[in-house]
Amino acid sequence: MTKDELRRRLDERPFRPFKVRVAGNGEYAVPTGDHAHLHPNGRLFFVHLDKGGTAIIDVPLISSVHVEEIA
């Protein structure tokens, strides 16, 4: 996964919810554009969790992005 692909997903209008999968089978939902951001240097991806806290993910460890289907 690249920082450019993550930026495209975050900037897409209308926003389409997605999940990022990381090495080790971790998965993080990004239900809105306000739930995540990419560090300016592109190395870290921050996902703000609904239950509080933030997952800080090293971008090279993201193995895939799953875009949610809109019904």
Side-chain angles (χ1 to χ4, degrees), residues 13-70:
R13 297 295 176 257
F15 181 84
R16 293 174 57 196
F18 63 93
K19 293 179 183 174
V20 293
R21 294 188 178 123
V22 297
N25 296 324
E27 184 174 89
Y28 300 91
V30 181
T32 72
D34 291 335
H35 277 83
H37 71 275
L38 189 63
H39 189 276
N41 70 12
R43 173 79 186 197
L44 298 173
F45 187 63
F46 300 84
V47 179
H48 308 292
L49 309 172
D50 281 337
K51 294 183 179 183
T54 301
I56 302 171
I57 304 165
D58 195 8
V59 170
L61 295 180
I62 297 174
S63 58
S64 66
V65 171
H66 173 73
V67 179
E68 300 291 321
E69 292 296 323
I70 299 175

